[in-house]
Amino acid sequence: MVMTRSSSRNMNGGGDGGASSAATSGGPPPSLEWRFSQVFGERTAGEEVQEVDIISAIEFDKSGDHLATGDRGGRVVLFERTDNKDHGGSRRDAEQMDYTVRHPEFRYKTEFQSHEPEFDYLKSLEIEEKINKIRWCQPANGALFLLSTNDKTIKYWKVQEKKIKKISEMNIDPSKTPGQPSSSSPPPLVANGVDADPAHGYISNFTFPPGGIPSLRLPVVTSLETSLVARCRRVYAHAHDYHINSISNSSDGETFISADDLRVNLWNLEISNQSFNIVDVKPTNMEDLTEVITSAEFHPIHCNMLAYSSSKGSIRLIDMRQSALCDSHTKLFEEPEAPGSRSFFTEIIASISDIKFSKDGRYILSRDYMTLKLWDINMDSGPVASYQVHEHLRPKLCDLYENDSIFDKFECCLSGDGLRVATGSYSNLFRVFGASKGSTEAATLEASKNPMRRQIQTPARPSRAISSMTRMVRRGSESPGAEANGNGYDFTNKLLHMAWHPTENSIACAAANSLYMYYA
Amino acid sequence: MAMVDEPLYPIALLIDELKNDDIQLRLNSIRRLSTIARALGEERTRKELIPFLSENSDDDDEVLLAMAEELGVFIPFVGGIEHAHVLLPPLESLCTVEETSVREKAVDSLCKIGSQMKESDLVDSFVPLVKRLAAGEWFAARVSACGLFHVAYQGCTDVLKTELRSSYGQLCQDDMPMVRRAAASNLGKFATTVESTFLNAEIMTMFDGLTKDEQDSVRLLAVEGCAALGKLLEPQECVARILPVIVNFSQDKSWRVRYMVANQLYELCEAVGPDCTKTDLVPAYVRLLRDNEAEVRIAAAGKVTKFCQLLNPELAIQHILPCVKELSSDSSQHVRSALASVIMGMAPILGKDSTIEHLLPIFLSLLKDEFPDVRLNIISKLDQVNQVIGIDLLSQSLLPAIVELAEDRHWRVRLAIIEYVPLLASQLGIGFFDDKLGALCMQWMQDKVYSIREAAANNLKRLAEEFGSEWAMQHIVPQVLDMVNNPHYLHRMMALRAISLMAPVMGSEITCSKFLPVVVEASKDRVPNIKFNVAKLLQSLIPIVDQSVVDKTIRQCLVDLSEDPDVDVRYFANQALRSIDAAAVAQS
């Protein structure tokens, strides 16, 4: 796989310092050529996007064989990988031989209604059905498990092939029983569920012959076909006063966290009626509130560590070993403010909208409004790299504030090998950067069937602004918002949600109601 | 489609409903599986019913849970022990479902069956089952396997035993933390069946591996193994192999691990003997009592009495008592509360003089704690101290504490103290009680919260039992009878409630002379709720008083009530009248 191809930086090797190994093992991996792979729910020209169809969450499972999306209508749609299933056991060989040819392909598997709109009567509060996050859990017995959450309620789903059963033989002919006037007195036809049922009193007095009663037979069941059934196994409710922004599974396989604006709670997957509050940043007086939690994630390997980000642009790493209440952090990752640059917008654009751990847990990727930052968890003085995503929007912050775009929450993702990072932007664009040392890879792609149309290869040295981007991007013909703005940017078409395949260079991203997939 | 004879109809229906669409009906049929088995006979149960159930493992969890439970006691229905092996396949498939409760029940049932099986059958069918599960593709099967080894191991051949041990060793190193957790929590059980030579070598190696697991959740379950294994090993082995581990664990970075140690430490004292207890375990325990994390201190404080029972009093006074003093003013109310719930038990251990010297100041300070749970916990265990030093030394502080709790603004606190009043009464004696607490008991009868009033009425009954009817006649009855004239109907109702509870204790004579006239008077109340409660009360008095009183007074009163304009009053009056008739029939 990719790891073997480019050994420029070995994120898994905890022993060797990143800098030295990168220096010794040659240059960065070559830039990737992104190609369109698939689209689901593509919009036809002139089609109005329904609000409920807009995708609000994307997540690959651990193996990369499944992909789930959630939408504002509370639905969860599952996709399954098709390209390696056909090849069965020879998958690994096939990958090694021609990995450039094979790329993940998915097909629609099933969908189900995860959340419904609700009304909290005690607080006079409408609860939207919009899916905020989806997280996959450990599969078991061929069934898939996932957690989905809206603003308030987390649900645990099991998706499984079930045989459709048909009973073909019974003792009592169901067609004849209702009021059947057979021989003498009709038997009492009663529901068998309650103990008051006279039939049961009768059974207990009955003496059975030693060999049993030959005329009785067990129902014969024939199963013809199977169908996918999604069943809600557990509902974790009433634990959040504020809106849930994140859920994340622990590597221990039995717990997960859920985070809202002010608190992080710890749950056991099997216990839905109790959770433990582990972080609480709510001040005694709400007027003293200066900072809220924006995102939280468990460390992928160490079940005792988790990180959460804040609206002030800091990331806190906490160690649950230290204390039952983790209000004090173990490590704080914060970039010192550049002197003299403070403005009205400084705090707003510093707010981190998403954090992700790299697969080995060594790095944390964070996204704020203007940049993407990569942090080494062993270095809290500053990010090891930052990538300018929206620097060209700096002159327009006032407009963005006026139309609320400045509060858009863009997600970010890392490739499975940790060599690249990606995040979304406006006009349905997304950007991919090389994260290995010395890499200048920076691609801008459009979520359309022709992703490279807008691609520009700018040498994106960390901290250097990509000021050329605005100039280079041609106006999209099918985006009317761009014309209204008159500045080449369409703030209504924003690419907020995206996910990187865990093992391959494949990206899934959401442009409104359409799911686009790319590979390289 | 077969038609069945009419007498068989119910059982036929029961069988059909094994596959009904309604889960309640399926559940009902599964719960009566033994009936179905008897109807089919042993042979067809083996050949048809059991295979049928094996196919059923994708049913709803509740049905599967019931099935797992029923199959555990199914041996008689398949033809006895020699056929027990036919029960294994359905339980095996239940061991692989992802719902934990179903799996655990299936494992329980398998253990029940396995422990009854003949050795040859065990080797032929049970051991292969365990091996299959242990090598299962999905973690659920492997988790279940961990709980079966101790049954499979007994009565195995040596070759199989070696295989089982190595298989368990692999489970201890499984990729999935869930499996390692199951292996850790079942290790103690498995170890009890393993021969001592292998115990020292192989089991201890597995144990060492688990204690070094990277997942906290595994390590903390390994702690539980410490005590279990410690009891199996020779004392010197235990000192050499378990003691270092537990001392290490007591300083683990993870508070959850230390919490587990705090809970378990006292169990190891016996296993390592008094010397090591003194040199190693006492310092470890003292560290836990002073842990940074409140949760750990809570666990440690809760075990303080159990731990001290295993020490000699001097050690306890020298090492543990200073910590106890600190804990009594701990910043966390939960720590103080945990301490308060056990500290009284230290009095018998330390003896009279030390208790007065060392513990009494702590008791007194906890009795003045700002947190009601702490005070309540002290009061609830008063009897333990009473036996050692008597109550007098405490009574000065006790009374204000009780009065304050009795008037606490949280009704649950008031409720809790009421429940302890009979205990206090018995410990404090009549004299003290009359002076100080009698008034409180009547005050609770008029509390704003129903639960308190109800508890207060019940309390009066228990006091009457404690101090006898003569005392009650003097101190309780007059006030209760007085309450019947209270302008508030809820208070009048409470008086009736107290009467109905006290009547059986006070006996027929007092009931007739004191209670009955008042009750009859109350039947003319203007509030219907009072009246139908009178009807209910009269019904409860029937068995207590003489038949003549029933005929003369009670019946007449009920007849009047049965003509009341209110439908509820009539209903309860008629119900009471019917029970008079029923009692008369029973007597004749």
Side-chain angles (χ1 to χ4, degrees):
Chain A
M1 282 192 279
V2 195
M3 280 300 291
T4 54
R5 195 154 49 124
S6 60
S7 56
S8 68
R9 175 146 104 187
N10 183 4
M11 280 191 141
N12 291 318
D16 50 2
S20 59
S21 73
T24 50
S25 57
S31 298
L32 296 174
E33 287 261 312
W34 289 94
R35 291 187 185 86
F36 169 77
S37 164
Q38 282 174 291
V39 59
F40 296 95
E42 191 189 17
R43 237 192 309 170
T44 51
E47 186 194 334
E48 193 86 354
V49 180
Q50 296 294 312
E51 169 83 10
V52 289
D53 292 333
I54 294 176
I55 295 173
S56 55
I58 301 182
E59 186 78 7
F60 280 105
D61 75 345
K62 221 170 157 187
S63 64
D65 290 341
H66 295 93
L67 174 68
T69 64
D71 66 26
R72 295 205 185 173
R75 282 162 303 191
V76 170
V77 185
L78 303 186
F79 301 88
E80 66 185 342
R81 192 168 170 175
T82 55
D83 57 306
N84 54 18
K85 280 204 173 156
D86 312 332
H87 291 255
S90 65
R91 174 187 163 193
R92 182 158 294 169
D93 304 333
E95 268 175 3
Q96 275 172 358
M97 280 160 63
D98 53 359
Y99 57 80
T100 47
V101 180
R102 299 224 63 80
H103 61 270
E105 263 179 40
F106 285 79
R107 70 163 168 235
Y108 170 88
K109 187 177 170 82
T110 185
E111 69 176 82
F112 56 91
Q113 188 73 36
S114 169
H115 286 72
E116 304 270 0
E118 280 176 89
F119 191 81
D120 182 339
Y121 294 96
L122 288 176
K123 291 178 182 152
S124 255
L125 206 68
E126 265 185 69
I127 303 168
E128 280 184 62
E129 68 273 35
K130 178 185 151 220
I131 305 293
N132 287 346
K133 280 277 151 64
I134 296 174
R135 285 290 179 270
W136 289 89
C137 303
Q138 202 64 49
N141 301 336
L144 299 171
F145 292 85
L146 51 85
L147 289 166
S148 62
T149 186
N150 66 355
D151 284 340
K152 295 287 178 186
T153 308
I154 306 155
K155 292 184 180 178
Y156 185 50
W157 290 93
K158 173 186 180 182
V159 183
Q160 188 186 29
E161 296 260 336
K162 262 205 139 169
K163 289 185 196 140
I164 302 171
K165 286 190 176 157
K166 223 181 143 213
I167 300 162
S168 61
E169 236 172 285
M170 292 181 92
N171 289 305
I172 301 155
D173 188 343
S175 59
K176 288 183 190 164
T177 34
Q180 52 139 326
S182 59
S183 50
S184 51
S185 62
L189 186 82
V190 277
N192 215 351
V194 261
D195 253 327
D197 176 351
H200 286 159
Y202 167 76
I203 293 174
S204 45
N205 298 330
F206 198 86
T207 44
F208 297 107
I213 303 155
S215 63
L216 289 172
R217 52 174 76 185
L218 290 163
V220 177
V221 175
T222 49
S223 47
L224 303 163
E225 52 200 285
T226 60
S227 76
L228 272 174
V229 183
R231 276 207 302 176
C232 184
R233 300 304 305 265
R234 278 183 189 87
V235 178
Y236 314 88
H238 312 301
H240 285 279
D241 288 335
Y242 305 91
H243 288 182
I244 298 173
N245 54 47
S246 313
I247 45 177
S248 175
N249 299 86
S250 168
S251 57
D252 67 11
E254 67 171 353
T255 55
F256 70 94
I257 49 165
S258 57
D260 66 20
D261 295 343
L262 296 177
R263 296 189 180 102
V264 180
N265 291 338
L266 179 70
W267 301 82
N268 187 311
L269 274 170
E270 303 203 337
I271 301 165
S272 57
N273 59 1
Q274 112 177 335
S275 72
F276 296 95
N277 177 243
I278 48 175
V279 177
D280 187 351
V281 300
K282 189 179 177 182
T284 33
N285 183 357
M286 277 300 264
E287 293 188 355
D288 301 333
L289 184 70
T290 57
E291 192 174 17
V292 297
I293 299 168
T294 53
S295 166
E297 196 176 44
F298 254 119
H299 190 281
I301 295 161
H302 299 301
C303 66
N304 54 308
M305 292 218 285
L306 62 98
Y308 69 89
S309 61
S310 82
S311 57
K312 273 190 165 173
S314 51
I315 302 167
R316 288 176 175 84
L317 192 67
I318 60 175
D319 183 354
M320 295 200 297
R321 284 178 180 171
Q322 264 176 354
S323 169
L325 294 171
C326 302
D327 292 342
S328 62
H329 53 264
T330 310
K331 269 187 178 170
L332 174 68
F333 302 94
E334 226 171 10
E335 194 160 35
E337 201 177 301
S341 65
R342 210 178 158 72
S343 74
F344 174 72
F345 303 109
T346 307
E347 256 192 40
I348 301 174
I349 59 172
S351 177
I352 294 178
S353 50
D354 191 25
I355 53 167
K356 293 272 159 63
F357 272 102
S358 63
K359 211 176 180 182
D360 60 358
R362 171 84 187 269
Y363 297 90
I364 298 173
L365 181 68
S366 71
R367 168 72 208 259
D368 55 44
Y369 193 64
M370 305 300 272
T371 61
L372 199 55
K373 287 177 183 143
L374 191 66
W375 307 78
D376 184 335
I377 64 166
N378 298 327
M379 185 174 106
D380 48 10
S381 56
V384 286
S386 39
Y387 310 93
Q388 307 292 355
V389 183
H390 277 166
E391 194 57 31
H392 55 279
L393 294 179
R394 201 174 278 280
K396 295 201 202 59
L397 286 176
C398 244
D399 301 340
L400 292 164
Y401 181 73
E402 290 287 312
N403 65 14
D404 275 354
S405 295
I406 203 167
F407 301 108
D408 286 337
K409 286 172 155 272
F410 291 96
E411 289 180 0
C412 57
C413 54
L414 289 114
S415 62
D417 53 20
L419 296 176
R420 290 175 185 84
V421 296
T423 191
S425 177
Y426 293 105
S427 307
N428 282 344
L429 297 178
F430 65 95
R431 310 210 66 203
V432 182
F433 301 97
S436 42
K437 199 160 180 74
S439 171
T440 58
E441 185 178 352
T444 304
L445 299 110
E446 186 192 42
S448 72
K449 283 187 171 171
N450 183 9
M452 300 306 268
R453 184 163 51 149
R454 301 185 176 191
Q455 199 231 344
I456 352 118
Q457 286 286 354
T458 17
R461 297 298 316 129
S463 82
R464 196 209 286 183
I466 305 160
S467 50
S468 57
M469 189 165 148
T470 358
R471 273 185 281 117
M472 297 279 285
V473 171
R474 279 180 289 122
R475 204 181 67 211
S477 55
E478 83 286 14
S479 32
E483 249 156 336
N485 278 327
N487 55 13
Y489 262 83
D490 172 7
F491 297 116
T492 56
N493 284 329
K494 45 200 170 195
L495 199 150
L496 300 174
H497 308 285
M498 60 190 305
W500 200 302
H501 192 278
T503 55
E504 309 206 18
N505 282 327
S506 168
I507 289 178
C509 55
N513 61 338
S514 315
L515 176 70
Y516 284 93
M517 313 221 16
Y518 301 94
Y519 72 96
Chain B
M1 299 285 171
M3 283 311 299
V4 286
D5 300 339
E6 194 208 317
L8 290 177
Y9 184 84
I11 182 75
L13 190 62
L14 199 62
I15 293 176
D16 284 352
E17 280 171 356
L18 282 170
K19 285 291 173 190
N20 198 291
D21 285 341
D22 184 345
I23 179 177
Q24 278 309 320
L25 299 186
R26 290 204 303 279
L27 203 50
N28 180 59
S29 284
I30 287 285
R31 292 231 173 89
R32 305 184 60 102
L33 214 50
S34 54
T35 309
I36 294 175
R38 280 191 294 146
L40 291 173
E42 290 170 359
E43 190 176 343
R44 290 185 65 202
T45 296
R46 290 197 297 272
K47 289 193 175 145
E48 294 177 35
L49 181 61
I50 300 297
F52 172 85
L53 294 173
S54 303
E55 298 282 290
N56 202 27
S57 65
D58 65 341
D59 208 332
D60 285 309
D61 296 333
E62 287 158 279
V63 178
L64 296 183
L65 187 66
M67 192 163 113
E69 187 164 9
E70 293 296 328
L71 288 175
V73 291
F74 224 58
I75 291 179
F77 306 107
V78 292
I81 296 296
E82 57 266 38
H83 296 290
H85 61 91
V86 303
L87 295 172
L88 302 185
L91 285 168
E92 182 177 350
S93 66
L94 289 176
C95 277
T96 64
V97 301
E98 76 280 350
E99 181 60 37
T100 313
S101 56
V102 175
R103 281 203 314 266
E104 283 174 352
K105 189 58 84 182
V107 168
D108 273 0
S109 290
L110 275 175
C111 288
K112 260 190 224 162
I113 294 169
S115 59
Q116 298 173 56
M117 281 169 84
K118 283 191 300 194
E119 280 188 12
S120 58
D121 287 345
L122 208 61
V123 171
D124 289 341
S125 51
F126 198 87
V127 175
L129 173 145
V130 174
K131 288 202 291 198
R132 272 196 305 278
L133 287 174
E137 182 189 359
W138 301 100
F139 73 86
R142 305 201 295 277
V143 166
S144 297
C146 295
L148 295 171
F149 275 75
H150 67 283
V151 176
Y153 195 80
Q154 286 161 320
C156 253
T157 60
D158 285 349
V159 183
L160 278 175
K161 281 183 172 176
T162 313
E163 237 176 284
L164 285 177
R165 286 194 309 274
S166 91
S167 169
Y168 202 90
Q170 268 159 20
L171 291 171
C172 289
Q173 296 168 26
D174 199 277
D175 282 344
M176 300 294 260
M178 300 82 152
V179 180
R180 299 203 301 275
R181 279 197 290 274
S185 46
N186 284 296
L187 187 65
K189 241 192 282 175
F190 182 44
T192 53
T193 63
V194 173
E195 300 81 356
S196 59
T197 45
F198 301 120
L199 190 65
N200 281 331
E202 298 180 30
I203 297 290
M204 286 310 292
T205 316
M206 295 177 205
F207 173 70
D208 285 344
L210 291 169
T211 59
K212 295 187 182 84
D213 199 283
E214 59 176 17
Q215 289 271 341
D216 289 355
S217 55
V218 179
R219 280 210 316 281
L220 61 92
L221 290 174
V223 176
E224 287 182 7
C226 284
L229 289 172
K231 285 170 189 162
L232 296 174
L233 291 169
E234 295 292 314
Q236 66 268 28
E237 280 293 319
C238 181
V239 169
R241 310 209 47 177
I242 303 280
L243 195 62
V245 174
I246 198 89
V247 169
N248 245 334
F249 271 153
S250 74
Q251 301 169 70
D252 197 278
K253 274 185 300 213
S254 168
W255 68 268
R256 285 168 73 197
V257 173
R258 299 199 303 274
Y259 174 90
M260 293 296 275
V261 176
N263 265 325
Q264 310 260 329
L265 199 61
Y266 72 94
E267 290 191 49
L268 264 178
C269 289
E270 259 173 273
V272 299
D275 289 343
C276 288
T277 298
K278 190 178 165 186
T279 55
D280 295 291
L281 293 186
V282 169
Y285 185 65
V286 166
R287 267 198 305 276
L288 293 169
L289 284 169
R290 292 182 169 144
D291 200 278
N292 279 329
E293 174 58 42
E295 298 286 339
V296 178
R297 294 199 303 275
I298 291 171
K303 297 286 183 236
V304 91
T305 300
K306 278 189 172 155
F307 197 85
C308 287
Q309 274 166 355
L310 300 166
L311 302 178
N312 62 41
E314 294 89 75
L315 269 180
I317 291 169
Q318 195 189 341
H319 296 286
I320 309 293
L321 208 57
C323 300
V324 169
K325 269 180 200 152
E326 286 167 33
L327 290 176
S328 69
S329 54
D330 195 279
S331 57
S332 160
Q333 60 195 35
H334 303 291
V335 174
R336 300 197 304 272
S337 177
L339 181 71
S341 67
V342 296
I343 192 177
M344 307 302 260
M346 283 182 76
I349 302 168
L350 297 188
K352 188 174 178 184
D353 295 340
S354 301
T355 299
I356 292 174
E357 191 187 336
H358 300 291
L359 286 179
L360 194 60
I362 299 175
F363 295 158
L364 295 177
S365 91
L366 289 173
L367 263 180
K368 296 188 187 90
D369 199 280
E370 58 181 355
F371 186 56
D373 276 11
V374 179
R375 283 172 271 154
L376 276 174
N377 283 344
I378 289 286
I379 289 172
S380 68
K381 300 283 165 58
L382 217 52
D383 47 336
Q384 290 170 329
V385 175
N386 199 11
Q387 289 154 13
V388 183
I389 57 167
I391 208 87
D392 297 346
L393 286 166
L394 273 177
S395 54
Q396 285 308 312
S397 303
L398 207 48
L399 194 67
I402 295 169
V403 171
E404 206 181 314
L405 288 168
E407 287 161 358
D408 196 280
R409 63 195 178 84
H410 295 293
W411 66 268
R412 284 177 198 281
V413 175
R414 299 202 296 275
L415 187 62
I417 187 72
I418 294 176
E419 316 248 299
Y420 293 130
V421 163
L423 170 82
L424 284 169
S426 69
Q427 298 294 319
L428 295 169
I430 289 188
F432 186 90
F433 184 86
D434 281 351
D435 289 353
K436 320 285 183 191
L437 298 181
L440 277 177
C441 293
M442 294 315 293
Q443 184 186 320
W444 282 320
M445 286 287 285
Q446 302 193 4
D447 198 278
K448 288 193 298 294
V449 177
Y450 171 76
S451 297
I452 302 293
R453 298 196 300 270
E454 170 72 21
N458 204 32
N459 176 45
L460 293 183
K461 181 194 92 172
R462 288 169 69 189
L463 286 175
E465 284 168 350
E466 178 71 36
F467 292 147
S469 58
E470 211 165 294
W471 176 86
M473 271 308 290
Q474 267 186 355
H475 294 90
I476 304 179
V477 174
Q479 282 102 316
V480 170
L481 294 182
D482 211 31
M483 255 178 85
V484 176
N485 301 319
N486 193 294
H488 198 315
Y489 89 98
L490 285 175
H491 294 162
R492 298 201 293 279
M493 214 140 84
M494 225 50 233
L496 294 178
R497 176 78 188 136
I499 288 173
S500 80
L501 285 168
M502 282 165 66
V505 182
M506 303 301 280
S508 160
E509 198 181 317
I510 294 177
T511 303
C512 293
S513 63
K514 294 284 176 187
F515 292 154
L516 204 52
V518 176
V519 174
V520 171
E521 194 55 36
S523 74
K524 302 184 183 79
D525 204 284
R526 65 196 158 79
V527 179
N529 289 34
I530 300 284
K531 286 189 283 191
F532 76 67
N533 272 296
V534 166
K536 284 201 239 177
L537 171 52
L538 288 174
Q539 186 178 357
S540 75
L541 294 182
I542 295 166
I544 298 167
V545 298
D546 281 346
Q547 187 61 34
S548 60
V549 180
V550 173
D551 291 337
K552 209 167 60 194
T553 323
I554 295 185
R555 184 186 288 277
Q556 185 51 49
C557 183
L558 285 171
V559 167
D560 291 348
L561 287 172
S562 70
E563 285 152 14
D564 196 89
D566 188 277
V567 60
D568 291 323
V569 177
R570 291 201 302 274
Y571 172 80
F572 284 108
N574 282 320
Q575 205 178 40
L577 283 170
R578 272 199 301 278
S579 78
I580 293 182
D581 296 338
V585 171
Q587 270 178 2
S588 64

